[in-house]
Amino acid sequence: MKKLLLIGMFVIFLYPLVIVSQGIAAAAEPIKIGYLAPYVGVYAKNGKDLTDGFKLYLDEIGYKVAGREIVLITEDDEMKPEVGTTKARKLVEKDRVHMLAGIIHSGVAYAIKDYVNNNKMPLILTNAGAAKLTAQDKSPYIFRVSFVNGQQDLAGGWYAYAKLGIRKVLMMFPDYSAGHEKADGFKRGFKAMGGEIVAEIFPPLGTTDYGPYLAKVVDYAGKVDRVWMFFSGSDAVRSIVQYSEYGLKDKIKLFVIGDTVDETFISSQKDAALGVESYLHYTPTLDTPENKRFVKAYTDKYRNEPGQFSEQAYIGAKAIVKALEAIKGKVEDRDAFMKALRDVKFEAPQGPFRFDNNQNVVQNVYIRRVEKKGEKYVNTVFDMVPDVDQFWTPKK
Ligand code: BEZ
């Protein structure tokens, strides 16, 4: 009888307390984000910026959303598809992250696509432009806040012909998926207007001596209006500096995708980059209140200006957090999280942020020129192509 009474009391008074405290423990469990970026190799600087920008937004919100702590776990994917896959597995299966984010190199993004799909794991790309992932190989689990390789280039190719009067172009880019995809985008935009691609030169990613390739470019002086380039990381610094050292800067002007002269690199390229015209979705010189606030916060924290990678990552973190806010932090409901993420809209440093129907960012493309202001090299915006999505079509 006494025993029954005790059980009854437990059921009535204590059991609800146990359940409530378990609920609180579950609600208080951190939201874990697994972040992949390269911290070695050609894109090591890109990877650092990609991480710093992401962390800046999390810092601003005190690593908390809807009463839950956010834990960021970073892993070095070394720009290698097989390392990226192993690290993604580790983050998901050992660290039990709720989502993956980051990635600079398209090869890594392509490599983990099936793993992400099979495990229904949300992946928010903050750089890798691997074009198929938000087009023919799209997945409900893959989002991209940065760009599709070729997206900005469609607008850049159109602009070159329609606004700069460029008719003949020689193209130089690294020989891997991102290089070819970006070049294809530019070609589509440029050729649709009647432009001619006279030659294409694609050195391996991570080339240290561009001399043998630049020797070929010399032959085209007087035969092309511009050399178009896409290089990033240490390739961007070397290609631009060596182009100038080779005496080519005065022979054939450059018109490049802005990665090549991003703020991350122009302070090393210095005068070799002066005057280079480019197109990109971001530059810290944008004169908007949100950008000024972001640039100040970033510069105060890291003592250098943000470039595209930091800004992309910053808006990636913000998009994730806005979606988490909308679902009151219940990240375990993946479908609700992904639906909320699709609907996120806000004013980003680069301009208005939103996704298209394939979960890829729609963005303004700014046309810029490298100038020197005091001791500083900057990309000054002189025109803009608004609202460019991955299927943007040239306007005749
Ligand atoms: C890419 O691999 O998609 C990529 C790498 C660096 C800059 C831009 C794109």
PDB file of all heavy atoms in Angstrom, residues 232-257:
ATOM      1  N   SER A 232      41.936  33.429 -58.504  1.00  0.00           N
ATOM      2  CA  SER A 232      41.645  33.802 -57.129  1.00  0.00           C
ATOM      3  C   SER A 232      42.760  33.297 -56.215  1.00  0.00           C
ATOM      4  O   SER A 232      43.643  32.552 -56.655  1.00  0.00           O
ATOM      5  CB  SER A 232      40.281  33.206 -56.726  1.00  0.00           C
ATOM      6  OG  SER A 232      39.859  33.755 -55.491  1.00  0.00           O
ATOM      7  N   GLY A 233      42.728  33.729 -54.946  1.00  0.00           N
ATOM      8  CA  GLY A 233      43.754  33.292 -53.994  1.00  0.00           C
ATOM      9  C   GLY A 233      45.139  33.746 -54.439  1.00  0.00           C
ATOM     10  O   GLY A 233      45.295  34.788 -55.086  1.00  0.00           O
ATOM     11  N   SER A 234      46.148  32.923 -54.144  1.00  0.00           N
ATOM     12  CA  SER A 234      47.509  33.328 -54.523  1.00  0.00           C
ATOM     13  C   SER A 234      47.655  33.367 -56.044  1.00  0.00           C
ATOM     14  O   SER A 234      48.516  34.079 -56.572  1.00  0.00           O
ATOM     15  CB  SER A 234      48.554  32.416 -53.870  1.00  0.00           C
ATOM     16  OG  SER A 234      48.217  31.076 -54.087  1.00  0.00           O
ATOM     17  N   ASP A 235      46.805  32.642 -56.784  1.00  0.00           N
ATOM     18  CA  ASP A 235      46.824  32.725 -58.259  1.00  0.00           C
ATOM     19  C   ASP A 235      46.479  34.140 -58.723  1.00  0.00           C
ATOM     20  O   ASP A 235      47.008  34.611 -59.735  1.00  0.00           O
ATOM     21  CB  ASP A 235      45.772  31.781 -58.867  1.00  0.00           C
ATOM     22  CG  ASP A 235      46.258  30.332 -58.934  1.00  0.00           C
ATOM     23  OD1 ASP A 235      47.394  30.059 -58.491  1.00  0.00           O
ATOM     24  OD2 ASP A 235      45.492  29.481 -59.426  1.00  0.00           O
ATOM     25  N   ALA A 236      45.548  34.791 -58.006  1.00  0.00           N
ATOM     26  CA  ALA A 236      45.129  36.146 -58.401  1.00  0.00           C
ATOM     27  C   ALA A 236      46.304  37.106 -58.256  1.00  0.00           C
ATOM     28  O   ALA A 236      46.575  37.927 -59.138  1.00  0.00           O
ATOM     29  CB  ALA A 236      43.958  36.612 -57.534  1.00  0.00           C
ATOM     30  N   VAL A 237      47.019  36.974 -57.139  1.00  0.00           N
ATOM     31  CA  VAL A 237      48.152  37.885 -56.900  1.00  0.00           C
ATOM     32  C   VAL A 237      49.226  37.657 -57.973  1.00  0.00           C
ATOM     33  O   VAL A 237      49.680  38.596 -58.640  1.00  0.00           O
ATOM     34  CB  VAL A 237      48.727  37.680 -55.479  1.00  0.00           C
ATOM     35  CG1 VAL A 237      49.946  38.567 -55.264  1.00  0.00           C
ATOM     36  CG2 VAL A 237      47.653  37.960 -54.427  1.00  0.00           C
ATOM     37  N   ARG A 238      49.581  36.396 -58.174  1.00  0.00           N
ATOM     38  CA  ARG A 238      50.669  36.100 -59.124  1.00  0.00           C
ATOM     39  C   ARG A 238      50.311  36.479 -60.555  1.00  0.00           C
ATOM     40  O   ARG A 238      51.118  37.051 -61.285  1.00  0.00           O
ATOM     41  CB  ARG A 238      51.019  34.609 -59.082  1.00  0.00           C
ATOM     42  CG  ARG A 238      51.693  34.216 -57.787  1.00  0.00           C
ATOM     43  CD  ARG A 238      52.471  32.916 -57.950  1.00  0.00           C
ATOM     44  NE  ARG A 238      53.011  32.525 -56.662  1.00  0.00           N
ATOM     45  CZ  ARG A 238      52.469  31.607 -55.881  1.00  0.00           C
ATOM     46  NH1 ARG A 238      51.394  30.957 -56.262  1.00  0.00           N
ATOM     47  NH2 ARG A 238      53.019  31.306 -54.722  1.00  0.00           N
ATOM     48  N   SER A 239      49.086  36.145 -60.984  1.00  0.00           N
ATOM     49  CA  SER A 239      48.723  36.410 -62.394  1.00  0.00           C
ATOM     50  C   SER A 239      48.715  37.905 -62.681  1.00  0.00           C
ATOM     51  O   SER A 239      49.247  38.346 -63.711  1.00  0.00           O
ATOM     52  CB  SER A 239      47.370  35.778 -62.738  1.00  0.00           C
ATOM     53  OG  SER A 239      46.366  36.280 -61.876  1.00  0.00           O
ATOM     54  N   ILE A 240      48.158  38.692 -61.771  1.00  0.00           N
ATOM     55  CA  ILE A 240      48.079  40.148 -62.010  1.00  0.00           C
ATOM     56  C   ILE A 240      49.478  40.778 -61.943  1.00  0.00           C
ATOM     57  O   ILE A 240      49.853  41.581 -62.807  1.00  0.00           O
ATOM     58  CB  ILE A 240      47.114  40.806 -60.992  1.00  0.00           C
ATOM     59  CG1 ILE A 240      45.668  40.432 -61.324  1.00  0.00           C
ATOM     60  CG2 ILE A 240      47.295  42.318 -60.928  1.00  0.00           C
ATOM     61  CD1 ILE A 240      45.069  41.104 -62.554  1.00  0.00           C
ATOM     62  N   VAL A 241      50.277  40.385 -60.961  1.00  0.00           N
ATOM     63  CA  VAL A 241      51.627  40.956 -60.829  1.00  0.00           C
ATOM     64  C   VAL A 241      52.485  40.567 -62.045  1.00  0.00           C
ATOM     65  O   VAL A 241      53.160  41.406 -62.650  1.00  0.00           O
ATOM     66  CB  VAL A 241      52.279  40.504 -59.496  1.00  0.00           C
ATOM     67  CG1 VAL A 241      53.764  40.839 -59.465  1.00  0.00           C
ATOM     68  CG2 VAL A 241      51.558  41.143 -58.311  1.00  0.00           C
ATOM     69  N   GLN A 242      52.403  39.299 -62.446  1.00  0.00           N
ATOM     70  CA  GLN A 242      53.247  38.850 -63.559  1.00  0.00           C
ATOM     71  C   GLN A 242      52.777  39.421 -64.905  1.00  0.00           C
ATOM     72  O   GLN A 242      53.575  39.675 -65.793  1.00  0.00           O
ATOM     73  CB  GLN A 242      53.319  37.318 -63.585  1.00  0.00           C
ATOM     74  CG  GLN A 242      54.087  36.774 -62.369  1.00  0.00           C
ATOM     75  CD  GLN A 242      54.129  35.254 -62.286  1.00  0.00           C
ATOM     76  OE1 GLN A 242      53.924  34.550 -63.276  1.00  0.00           O
ATOM     77  NE2 GLN A 242      54.384  34.736 -61.097  1.00  0.00           N
ATOM     78  N   TYR A 243      51.477  39.652 -65.035  1.00  0.00           N
ATOM     79  CA  TYR A 243      50.936  40.291 -66.251  1.00  0.00           C
ATOM     80  C   TYR A 243      51.569  41.667 -66.422  1.00  0.00           C
ATOM     81  O   TYR A 243      51.967  42.057 -67.517  1.00  0.00           O
ATOM     82  CB  TYR A 243      49.414  40.412 -66.130  1.00  0.00           C
ATOM     83  CG  TYR A 243      48.691  40.726 -67.416  1.00  0.00           C
ATOM     84  CD1 TYR A 243      48.345  39.726 -68.315  1.00  0.00           C
ATOM     85  CD2 TYR A 243      48.342  42.045 -67.738  1.00  0.00           C
ATOM     86  CE1 TYR A 243      47.670  40.010 -69.495  1.00  0.00           C
ATOM     87  CE2 TYR A 243      47.678  42.340 -68.917  1.00  0.00           C
ATOM     88  CZ  TYR A 243      47.335  41.323 -69.794  1.00  0.00           C
ATOM     89  OH  TYR A 243      46.671  41.611 -70.963  1.00  0.00           O
ATOM     90  N   SER A 244      51.665  42.373 -65.290  1.00  0.00           N
ATOM     91  CA  SER A 244      52.255  43.708 -65.324  1.00  0.00           C
ATOM     92  C   SER A 244      53.769  43.622 -65.568  1.00  0.00           C
ATOM     93  O   SER A 244      54.319  44.345 -66.408  1.00  0.00           O
ATOM     94  CB  SER A 244      51.945  44.401 -63.997  1.00  0.00           C
ATOM     95  OG  SER A 244      52.598  45.606 -63.912  1.00  0.00           O
ATOM     96  N   GLU A 245      54.435  42.723 -64.840  1.00  0.00           N
ATOM     97  CA  GLU A 245      55.892  42.579 -65.011  1.00  0.00           C
ATOM     98  C   GLU A 245      56.254  42.212 -66.452  1.00  0.00           C
ATOM     99  O   GLU A 245      57.307  42.575 -66.951  1.00  0.00           O
ATOM    100  CB  GLU A 245      56.424  41.488 -64.066  1.00  0.00           C
ATOM    101  CG  GLU A 245      56.514  41.939 -62.614  1.00  0.00           C
ATOM    102  CD  GLU A 245      56.791  40.787 -61.647  1.00  0.00           C
ATOM    103  OE1 GLU A 245      56.811  39.604 -62.075  1.00  0.00           O
ATOM    104  OE2 GLU A 245      56.980  41.070 -60.462  1.00  0.00           O
ATOM    105  N   TYR A 246      55.378  41.487 -67.097  1.00  0.00           N
ATOM    106  CA  TYR A 246      55.614  41.059 -68.473  1.00  0.00           C
ATOM    107  C   TYR A 246      55.420  42.199 -69.472  1.00  0.00           C
ATOM    108  O   TYR A 246      55.565  42.024 -70.684  1.00  0.00           O
ATOM    109  CB  TYR A 246      54.640  39.919 -68.815  1.00  0.00           C
ATOM    110  CG  TYR A 246      55.316  38.736 -69.450  1.00  0.00           C
ATOM    111  CD1 TYR A 246      55.914  37.742 -68.675  1.00  0.00           C
ATOM    112  CD2 TYR A 246      55.371  38.620 -70.838  1.00  0.00           C
ATOM    113  CE1 TYR A 246      56.550  36.675 -69.266  1.00  0.00           C
ATOM    114  CE2 TYR A 246      56.007  37.551 -71.436  1.00  0.00           C
ATOM    115  CZ  TYR A 246      56.594  36.577 -70.648  1.00  0.00           C
ATOM    116  OH  TYR A 246      57.231  35.525 -71.235  1.00  0.00           O
ATOM    117  N   GLY A 247      55.004  43.358 -68.943  1.00  0.00           N
ATOM    118  CA  GLY A 247      54.791  44.532 -69.811  1.00  0.00           C
ATOM    119  C   GLY A 247      53.478  44.467 -70.573  1.00  0.00           C
ATOM    120  O   GLY A 247      53.256  45.220 -71.522  1.00  0.00           O
ATOM    121  N   LEU A 248      52.589  43.567 -70.164  1.00  0.00           N
ATOM    122  CA  LEU A 248      51.346  43.380 -70.921  1.00  0.00           C
ATOM    123  C   LEU A 248      50.264  44.396 -70.566  1.00  0.00           C
ATOM    124  O   LEU A 248      49.370  44.667 -71.370  1.00  0.00           O
ATOM    125  CB  LEU A 248      50.805  41.964 -70.690  1.00  0.00           C
ATOM    126  CG  LEU A 248      51.414  40.905 -71.614  1.00  0.00           C
ATOM    127  CD1 LEU A 248      51.193  39.506 -71.050  1.00  0.00           C
ATOM    128  CD2 LEU A 248      50.806  41.006 -73.007  1.00  0.00           C
ATOM    129  N   LYS A 249      50.386  44.959 -69.373  1.00  0.00           N
ATOM    130  CA  LYS A 249      49.323  45.842 -68.879  1.00  0.00           C
ATOM    131  C   LYS A 249      49.064  47.011 -69.837  1.00  0.00           C
ATOM    132  O   LYS A 249      47.908  47.412 -70.036  1.00  0.00           O
ATOM    133  CB  LYS A 249      49.742  46.371 -67.498  1.00  0.00           C
ATOM    134  CG  LYS A 249      48.569  46.726 -66.639  1.00  0.00           C
ATOM    135  CD  LYS A 249      48.982  46.959 -65.211  1.00  0.00           C
ATOM    136  CE  LYS A 249      47.903  47.781 -64.558  1.00  0.00           C
ATOM    137  NZ  LYS A 249      48.369  48.982 -63.935  1.00  0.00           N
ATOM    138  N   ASP A 250      50.126  47.534 -70.434  1.00  0.00           N
ATOM    139  CA  ASP A 250      49.948  48.655 -71.358  1.00  0.00           C
ATOM    140  C   ASP A 250      49.664  48.189 -72.780  1.00  0.00           C
ATOM    141  O   ASP A 250      49.280  48.975 -73.640  1.00  0.00           O
ATOM    142  CB  ASP A 250      51.203  49.553 -71.350  1.00  0.00           C
ATOM    143  CG  ASP A 250      51.453  50.082 -69.948  1.00  0.00           C
ATOM    144  OD1 ASP A 250      50.461  50.391 -69.258  1.00  0.00           O
ATOM    145  OD2 ASP A 250      52.630  50.129 -69.531  1.00  0.00           O
ATOM    146  N   LYS A 251      49.862  46.887 -73.023  1.00  0.00           N
ATOM    147  CA  LYS A 251      49.656  46.392 -74.397  1.00  0.00           C
ATOM    148  C   LYS A 251      48.217  45.927 -74.608  1.00  0.00           C
ATOM    149  O   LYS A 251      47.595  46.233 -75.619  1.00  0.00           O
ATOM    150  CB  LYS A 251      50.607  45.219 -74.676  1.00  0.00           C
ATOM    151  CG  LYS A 251      52.061  45.614 -74.799  1.00  0.00           C
ATOM    152  CD  LYS A 251      52.830  44.563 -75.603  1.00  0.00           C
ATOM    153  CE  LYS A 251      54.270  44.989 -75.828  1.00  0.00           C
ATOM    154  NZ  LYS A 251      55.160  44.501 -74.756  1.00  0.00           N
ATOM    155  N   ILE A 252      47.687  45.129 -73.654  1.00  0.00           N
ATOM    156  CA  ILE A 252      46.287  44.668 -73.757  1.00  0.00           C
ATOM    157  C   ILE A 252      45.630  44.900 -72.400  1.00  0.00           C
ATOM    158  O   ILE A 252      46.034  44.291 -71.395  1.00  0.00           O
ATOM    159  CB  ILE A 252      46.160  43.163 -74.105  1.00  0.00           C
ATOM    160  CG1 ILE A 252      47.152  42.738 -75.191  1.00  0.00           C
ATOM    161  CG2 ILE A 252      44.717  42.851 -74.540  1.00  0.00           C
ATOM    162  CD1 ILE A 252      47.130  41.237 -75.510  1.00  0.00           C
ATOM    163  N   LYS A 253      44.619  45.774 -72.397  1.00  0.00           N
ATOM    164  CA  LYS A 253      43.951  46.080 -71.129  1.00  0.00           C
ATOM    165  C   LYS A 253      43.210  44.856 -70.606  1.00  0.00           C
ATOM    166  O   LYS A 253      42.782  43.985 -71.378  1.00  0.00           O
ATOM    167  CB  LYS A 253      42.952  47.227 -71.332  1.00  0.00           C
ATOM    168  CG  LYS A 253      43.616  48.598 -71.287  1.00  0.00           C
ATOM    169  CD  LYS A 253      42.624  49.696 -71.585  1.00  0.00           C
ATOM    170  CE  LYS A 253      41.759  50.022 -70.387  1.00  0.00           C
ATOM    171  NZ  LYS A 253      40.816  51.139 -70.637  1.00  0.00           N
ATOM    172  N   LEU A 254      43.031  44.824 -69.279  1.00  0.00           N
ATOM    173  CA  LEU A 254      42.319  43.699 -68.655  1.00  0.00           C
ATOM    174  C   LEU A 254      40.873  44.073 -68.367  1.00  0.00           C
ATOM    175  O   LEU A 254      40.577  45.214 -68.011  1.00  0.00           O
ATOM    176  CB  LEU A 254      43.001  43.328 -67.327  1.00  0.00           C
ATOM    177  CG  LEU A 254      44.367  42.664 -67.416  1.00  0.00           C
ATOM    178  CD1 LEU A 254      45.037  42.648 -66.040  1.00  0.00           C
ATOM    179  CD2 LEU A 254      44.231  41.239 -67.947  1.00  0.00           C
ATOM    180  N   PHE A 255      39.981  43.103 -68.529  1.00  0.00           N
ATOM    181  CA  PHE A 255      38.610  43.211 -68.007  1.00  0.00           C
ATOM    182  C   PHE A 255      38.343  41.863 -67.355  1.00  0.00           C
ATOM    183  O   PHE A 255      38.296  40.840 -68.030  1.00  0.00           O
ATOM    184  CB  PHE A 255      37.602  43.491 -69.121  1.00  0.00           C
ATOM    185  CG  PHE A 255      36.198  43.704 -68.585  1.00  0.00           C
ATOM    186  CD1 PHE A 255      35.938  44.681 -67.632  1.00  0.00           C
ATOM    187  CD2 PHE A 255      35.140  42.921 -69.032  1.00  0.00           C
ATOM    188  CE1 PHE A 255      34.650  44.875 -67.136  1.00  0.00           C
ATOM    189  CE2 PHE A 255      33.853  43.113 -68.543  1.00  0.00           C
ATOM    190  CZ  PHE A 255      33.608  44.090 -67.590  1.00  0.00           C
ATOM    191  N   VAL A 256      38.218  41.855 -66.010  1.00  0.00           N
ATOM    192  CA  VAL A 256      38.264  40.580 -65.294  1.00  0.00           C
ATOM    193  C   VAL A 256      37.051  40.403 -64.383  1.00  0.00           C
ATOM    194  O   VAL A 256      36.390  41.381 -64.034  1.00  0.00           O
ATOM    195  CB  VAL A 256      39.551  40.488 -64.418  1.00  0.00           C
ATOM    196  CG1 VAL A 256      40.793  40.726 -65.258  1.00  0.00           C
ATOM    197  CG2 VAL A 256      39.526  41.478 -63.252  1.00  0.00           C
ATOM    198  N   ILE A 257      36.784  39.147 -63.993  1.00  0.00           N
ATOM    199  CA  ILE A 257      35.817  38.955 -62.919  1.00  0.00           C
ATOM    200  C   ILE A 257      36.493  39.436 -61.633  1.00  0.00           C
ATOM    201  O   ILE A 257      37.696  39.200 -61.409  1.00  0.00           O
ATOM    202  CB  ILE A 257      35.297  37.511 -62.805  1.00  0.00           C
ATOM    203  CG1 ILE A 257      34.345  37.401 -61.610  1.00  0.00           C
ATOM    204  CG2 ILE A 257      36.390  36.476 -62.732  1.00  0.00           C
ATOM    205  CD1 ILE A 257      33.358  36.268 -61.667  1.00  0.00           C
TER     206      ILE A 257
END
